[in-house]
Amino acid sequence: MALVLAVVFGVIFSSSYILTEKKLTKLAKEIRDENIICRLNILKNKKYKTLSEFEKQLENRLSKPDLKSFQGLIIKAAYHNPALSWIEWMGIVFLRALKMIVIPLIFTSIISGIITIGSGQNLGRLGLKTLLYYVSTSVLAILSGLFFVNVFQPGTGADIKGLETMSDFSIQQKNLKDILIEIVPDNIFKSLVNNDLLSVIFLSLLVGIFITQLDKKNNGMLSGLFSSLFELFMKITMFIIRLAPLGIFGLVAKVIADQDNIGNLVHNLGSFIFCVTSALFIHALLTLPLLTYLFGRNNPLRHLNNMTSALLTAFSTASSAATLPLTMNNVKEKSGVSEKIANFTLPIGATVNMDGTAIYITAVVMFIAQITGMEMGVKEQLIILLTALLASIGTAAIPMASLVIITIILNIFGLPFEMIAIILPVDRILDMFRTTVNVWSDSCGAVIIAKSEGEQLKV
Ligand code: ASP
């Protein structure tokens, strides 16, 4: 509903560009070059319906170096859409709220996840096997995501107007060495305050691991504290996500209003959906069944059949956490995995192991980088692999959780987080697909690990 309204609003109140007397006076103060203002005076009070038209006029009036230095500023000043300013704030507030919750959510989600693995007799052989499965399947998933976005280049050639002017967008690409070094924070508080995703994940892993090494009294106290905090932040996140329709309305209306050519946007989004779903299908129907067959010596089709009700629930709720009771039931009752293995691998899998989410995060970053024309070579794609792997571990098992994380992942690559508005219209439907893959991977993991422990299964 919000989407449809946003499209209608954006089409009716499309943005235009006009340099009024007042705007010119303001520009004169910022540019401080009479010659340029004189040339811009010719455009005074003329209204241009699209950004391309306005840009063409600027190209005719200004020299290349002037254009390069001041084009962004002039476009921003000339931007005219009074109707949009009434609703734009909803999108901005929604994005701010997502950014607000992401660090506390990741921090507590990872710590409470590790505490579950590390508690009691769980750590050791079983814990290591489980971690190995989670990491390797996520890496395979990310590789299939990278394959599709590289081959089909969904964002290349996109002419997404307007978004660049939302923030003062300048690409500040970091190199691999710096990113790796900066994973270790030099100041814990600075990392938390600056939303440094990778450092926060690193810190959470450390805190989680060392809580499990504490004596019983302190361990118990901190475990209880972090699991309560996790629950608290999950609740707040779900509250924010309930406001998503308003946020989506504000953000998508702006994207549509600023488009010169909506067909172009639809085409790029279509190709993005194709890449994400293809990678999800390959991972779910080829990679995971193959692993289940080879390492679990099981019949993956029969296991798939056993998991139907859990997978359908995952698809309709878009939440691995909400699906967990059904996942446990299907894996234990139908596929015959023991209580011990299912109770250990599935709850932690639901929060930590997210292959579908890893594919999605990878595809979004590559898509937005392609749109902005940022080169993503082998090194950068390695950084994406690492980031998507860690970020999928930190993603909460609730609807739209990856969106929360993507807002700050874009920062790592120097991409403006407002760009997330482009994928908002298709996020929910892709969430249903990726959550299904998340749950399917957890269940295959339980089967493979149970078999490796010598259990007799029903598949
Ligand atoms: N909705 C997903 C899940 O619960 C997480 C995500 O947003 O990717 O598994």
Side-chain angles (χ1 to χ4, degrees):
M1 182 76 168
L3 254 183
V4 174
L5 286 179
V7 173
V8 173
F9 189 98
V11 170
I12 297 176
F13 300 105
S14 63
S15 309
S16 53
Y17 297 83
I18 180 164
L19 283 171
T20 55
E21 177 87 52
K22 205 167 137 202
K23 287 177 175 179
L24 276 170
T25 323
K26 204 172 148 227
L27 266 180
K29 278 190 202 138
E30 287 168 16
I31 296 181
R32 290 164 189 272
D33 183 329
E34 270 186 34
N35 186 12
I36 297 182
I37 301 297
C38 243
R39 284 197 232 157
L40 288 178
N41 249 322
I42 307 171
L43 306 180
K44 192 160 84 185
N45 291 335
K46 287 189 189 138
K47 194 169 176 180
Y48 298 94
K49 284 230 162 71
T50 64
L51 183 55
S52 334
E53 262 176 56
F54 184 63
E55 275 176 342
K56 217 176 274 158
Q57 293 299 326
L58 291 182
E59 273 162 35
N60 294 339
R61 302 277 172 273
L62 302 181
S63 68
K64 274 218 170 101
D66 286 347
L67 201 64
K68 201 165 164 231
S69 326
F70 300 114
Q71 190 179 26
L73 201 67
I74 303 170
I75 291 176
K76 220 172 175 176
Y79 184 76
H80 179 74
N81 196 336
L84 198 66
S85 55
W86 286 100
I87 58 147
E88 202 183 356
W89 63 271
M90 296 183 197
I92 298 172
V93 169
F94 177 61
L95 282 184
R96 286 179 69 98
L98 287 183
K99 276 186 103 176
M100 167 190 88
I101 200 65
V102 64
I103 292 294
L105 188 65
I106 295 178
F107 194 58
T108 50
S109 143
I110 294 185
I111 295 177
S112 51
I114 301 221
I115 292 174
T116 326
I117 305 189
S119 61
Q121 336 79 6
N122 286 332
L123 209 61
R125 201 186 59 226
L126 200 55
L128 282 181
K129 262 191 217 170
T130 313
L131 278 186
L132 183 70
Y133 172 84
Y134 292 164
V135 171
S136 42
T137 51
S138 298
V139 170
L140 289 172
I142 295 170
L143 290 178
S144 48
L146 282 176
F147 171 79
F148 279 97
V149 283
N150 276 304
V151 171
F152 293 96
Q153 304 268 331
T156 306
D159 190 13
I160 309 280
K161 296 279 186 200
L163 280 168
E164 296 92 327
T165 52
M166 278 167 89
S167 60
D168 287 320
F169 169 50
S170 60
I171 296 177
Q172 345 126 353
Q173 221 160 344
K174 283 190 193 165
N175 65 42
L176 179 62
K177 199 171 125 212
D178 287 345
I179 290 187
L180 290 177
I181 289 178
E182 285 166 19
I183 288 182
V184 182
D186 61 353
N187 181 329
I188 296 177
F189 299 102
K190 213 165 76 192
S191 301
L192 292 171
V193 170
N194 292 344
N195 282 350
D196 290 336
L197 180 71
L198 299 182
S199 321
V200 171
I201 292 178
F202 176 79
L203 178 68
S204 326
L205 289 170
L206 274 189
V207 174
I209 291 170
F210 284 99
I211 286 183
T212 64
Q213 312 284 310
L214 295 179
D215 61 48
K216 218 171 171 186
K217 183 175 143 243
N218 289 327
N219 179 330
M221 212 174 72
L222 286 174
S223 307
L225 174 71
F226 277 108
S227 71
S228 309
L229 282 174
F230 178 48
E231 220 182 298
L232 167 71
F233 292 126
M234 285 271 271
K235 284 234 149 67
I236 300 181
T237 309
M238 284 194 253
F239 167 70
I240 296 173
I241 282 170
R242 258 198 265 143
L243 302 178
L246 293 177
I248 290 180
F249 177 61
L251 290 164
V252 175
K254 176 160 174 66
V255 175
I256 302 289
D258 290 355
Q259 285 313 298
D260 288 6
N261 179 351
I262 295 175
N264 192 340
L265 178 67
V266 172
H267 172 261
N268 286 101
L269 267 182
S271 140
F272 169 72
I273 294 177
F274 169 78
C275 288
V276 174
T277 45
S278 306
L280 288 173
F281 274 109
I282 293 286
H283 190 67
L285 299 180
L286 206 73
T287 314
L288 291 175
L290 210 64
L291 292 178
T292 312
Y293 178 71
L294 292 177
F295 294 99
R297 273 168 275 117
N298 285 303
N299 181 344
L301 272 182
R302 205 172 304 147
H303 178 52
L304 182 67
N305 193 26
N306 292 343
M307 291 300 297
T308 325
S309 57
L311 297 180
L312 286 175
T313 311
F315 187 76
S316 47
T317 59
S319 163
S320 314
T323 314
L324 187 59
L326 265 160
T327 318
M328 308 256 296
N329 174 284
N330 288 180
V331 166
K332 283 194 272 193
E333 304 299 324
K334 297 194 175 157
S335 291
V337 174
S338 69
E339 285 271 337
K340 179 180 163 229
I341 305 275
N343 289 354
F344 171 60
T345 58
L346 293 174
I348 170 92
T351 30
V352 169
N353 181 43
M354 298 205 178
D355 297 358
T357 297
I359 290 179
Y360 184 65
I361 293 175
T362 308
V364 172
V365 176
M366 287 293 288
F367 179 56
I368 292 181
Q370 287 167 355
I371 290 177
T372 54
M374 182 190 274
E375 273 293 317
M376 284 289 183
V378 177
K379 264 194 206 162
E380 288 75 21
Q381 299 201 20
L382 272 177
I383 304 175
I384 295 189
L385 191 145
L386 182 72
T387 314
L389 175 67
L390 292 174
S392 68
I393 294 176
T395 308
I398 50 176
M400 292 174 83
S402 1
L403 205 63
V404 182
I405 289 205
I406 290 168
T407 50
I408 60 173
I409 289 187
L410 292 176
N411 273 353
I412 300 179
F413 297 92
L415 293 163
F417 79 94
E418 291 89 343
M419 284 274 187
I420 205 162
I422 299 171
I423 52 143
L424 271 182
V426 295
D427 180 72
R428 180 65 194 206
I429 179 82
L430 292 178
D431 196 3
M432 297 161 86
F433 284 103
R434 67 182 184 254
T435 307
T436 311
V437 176
N438 290 345
V439 170
W440 172 231
S441 170
D442 296 340
S443 78
C444 292
V447 162
I448 292 176
I449 291 161
K451 194 75 185 192
S452 77
E453 292 283 304
E455 290 188 6
Q456 282 299 324
L457 306 182
K458 298 184 198 158
V459 284

